[in-house]
Amino acid sequence: MAARSFETLSKRYSSHKPPKGMPGGPGMGGPRGGGPGRRGPGGPGGKPKNTKTTIVRLLGYLKAFRFRIGIAFFFMVVRAISQIAGAYTLRPIINDYIAVGKMEGFVYALAVLAGIYIVGVVSTYVQNRIMISVSQGTIETIRNDLFQKVQKLPVRFYDTENTGEIMSRFTNDVDNIGMMLDSAVMSLVFGIINLVGTFAMMLYTNVWLSLITAAFLPIFIRGGALIGKRSRKYHSQQQAALGALNGYIEETVSGQKVVKVFCHEKDCEEEFSMLNDDLRGKQFFAQFFGGIMGPVMGNTSQVCYSLTAGIGGILCALGRFDIGGLTIFVNYSRQFSHPINEISMQISTFFSALAGAERVFQIMDREPEAEDKEDAVSPGKIHGDVVLEHVTFGYNPDKTVLKDISLYAHPGQKIAFVGSTGAGKTTITNLLNRFYDIDSGTITIDGVNIKDYSRSTLRKNIAMVLQDTHLFTGTVMENIRYGRLDATDEEVIAAAKTASAHSFIMRLSDGYQTVLTGDGANLSQGQRQLLNIARAALSKAPILVLDEATSSVDTRTERHIEHGMDRLMEDRTTFVIAHRLSTVRNANAIMVLENGEIIERGDHDELLALGGRYYELCTGQKELD
Ligand SMILES: Nc1ncnc2c1ncn2[C@@H]1O[C@H](COP(=O)(O)OP(=O)(O)O)[C@@H](O)[C@H]1O
Ligand SMILES: [Mg+2]
């Protein structure tokens, strides 16, 4: 079977849109997983769109290092001067010693020359060291800022962005900025100083010969610009192709089980080789244009060199020019193409770093979760009296997901939601702790609008077992303690017992000290759920939300933990979304949701008597999912 076409593939994997059909419902609270080194689609390629503002913002980061940068600049100028002066020193050495065969003082003159070059080498060393410390310091700050920002972003951001893509901003893009600060900026300025300085020295040495070089100048500049432009173009295409390939690898590696289940290995190989082939092509041209710059410029300057050497030689023979002057002049003219070379090469680093910086700043400019109100209330104790009145909500303005939902839950009551997949059950729980804010209507807890609480107060008072579990790298003990950081070991163990997790934890190799990795990959899905329940059990929040908390636990275990769950729900206002209707039977009220509306409500007996949808579900006339 033919694999997807190349166009579809490259577009899909280098675009910044999230892949369709990502598993998991909306609003998964904690940070998403994503192992180190996952690189998302969309490399740093492409020209920055808003160069000036980006540069100004980068300069803002450099401000803290201005003193060090000043020193680095000083040493860079010393280095440029020593290079130009060193070359010039040859003139008196040749004229005054070598040409006339004078040995007295010759060694001294050579020592001066060596001294100048040593100063140059030391300055280069110092300048590089300082700039590396500046660039590493800067990108450390940028990474910190970016991470802090990402922590403040609303759940909507995580629901819509591709994890790999976010990761690549921390890695690829930030590294590019670092590379630019390390070397490109200084090389660029050094190249310019070197170019101007060398030409000035040529003029000083011999005006007429300088004119020959001046005639070649447009060729150098034009050639450099042309090749540089090509090189930049293919460089950015190469980055995009690399991003596409990385995106594809990431997806097939993390989804390898699905690939195997559906026997898509062959297709994957084909698709991969298409993307790989594209990268090879782009890389070829990027390398080619990067590589021919030196030889082309070198050969052109060789022509310039021969011309100046020939004409200079004639001038010398006529006694119009000194042999030392000629030597250094041809030296200068041979070196002349180097700075142009360097400048055009560094410009590409410069641009891809700016493109990276822009992508980093894009995230920093994202709207964070709205600030808490200034007079936000933080009551000492919340009882858990929850009221929803005419709540309407949609993730996007053009699609309403919940319509006119009204319900109340008195402290300690158990409210259940049932309904088919996509009916809006998880969405209701997303609104309670303000993962998303409602469009109209009100939600109050203990009579206070939830918008008037600070977010931390609100979330501390609502314990949630989310539909998709998440465990962090760390021990079982630490993972459960995530529910309440000041809990003692005994409390953690008691919570695990409540959730019926204790016995399987004790069977793990190191018990509570077993280290979980890769989102608890060494546990079964049901065991992961039990740990998440234990986490909620540890929290003392008066409101509890269980979103299909036991969907992957077998019925026997479920019955086993029923007792613990009852204890967990005791004295707490509980919202429970259940997969199995048996678990909601004893709820104070059951809400049957259909397309975002509550179509039936009441307790188990009332709903059965009603003979409606719930009755159909219970008697098996209709399947739940
Ligand atoms: N993050 C999201 N962005 C946009 N739409 C979403 C998001 N999460 C869920 N939806 C949509 O909202 C509806 C309700 O989803 P959800 O509340 O998760 O249903 P369920 O009852 O299965 O828990 C679905 O139609 C789903 O497509
Ligand atoms: Mg759900």
Side-chain angles (χ1 to χ4, degrees), residues 447-481:
V448 178
N449 192 317
I450 55 168
K451 287 188 180 162
D452 294 336
Y453 289 110
S454 71
R455 275 200 184 70
S456 58
T457 308
L458 187 65
R459 291 180 187 165
K460 259 185 219 146
N461 281 290
I462 303 179
M464 281 207 163
V465 179
L466 298 169
Q467 193 168 6
D468 75 347
T469 58
H470 188 86
L471 298 167
F472 294 98
T473 300
T475 62
V476 172
M477 184 73 88
E478 286 163 352
N479 263 292
I480 299 179
R481 192 173 279 135

Side-chain angles (χ1 to χ4, degrees), residues 408-430:
Y408 60 87
H410 292 310
Q413 279 193 332
K414 176 177 170 185
I415 308 291
F417 295 106
V418 297
S420 44
T421 302
K425 305 180 296 291
T426 300
T427 306
I428 294 185
T429 66
N430 276 340

Side-chain angles (χ1 to χ4, degrees), residues 22 32-41 162-172 246-247 250-251 253-254:
M22 290 249 293
R32 285 265 163 104
R38 279 173 76 176
R39 291 195 162 189
N162 182 330
T163 315
E165 160 68 8
I166 301 169
M167 303 278 307
S168 90
R169 304 203 189 204
F170 277 96
T171 53
N172 282 355
N246 282 341
E250 189 213 292
E251 211 172 275
V253 168
S254 56

Side-chain angles (χ1 to χ4, degrees), residues 25-27 159 395-396 399 401 419-428 436 467 547 577:
D159 279 350
Y395 291 97
N396 307 306
K399 189 171 170 255
V401 173
S420 44
T421 302
K425 305 180 296 291
T426 300
T427 306
I428 294 185
Y436 288 87
Q467 193 168 6
D547 191 351
I577 298 170

Side-chain angles (χ1 to χ4, degrees), residues 137-190:
T138 309
I139 62 175
E140 183 187 4
T141 315
I142 293 180
R143 270 196 298 260
N144 271 336
D145 283 3
L146 189 59
F147 190 75
Q148 279 172 17
K149 178 70 191 200
V150 164
Q151 293 290 314
K152 289 199 186 80
L153 289 175
V155 169
R156 187 183 293 278
F157 170 79
Y158 294 96
D159 279 350
T160 48
E161 294 294 321
N162 182 330
T163 315
E165 160 68 8
I166 301 169
M167 303 278 307
S168 90
R169 304 203 189 204
F170 277 96
T171 53
N172 282 355
D173 292 331
V174 173
D175 284 351
N176 269 328
I177 300 174
M179 217 142 69
M180 166 175 87
L181 297 178
D182 266 0
S183 60
V185 174
M186 285 289 164
S187 300
L188 214 61
V189 181
F190 180 76

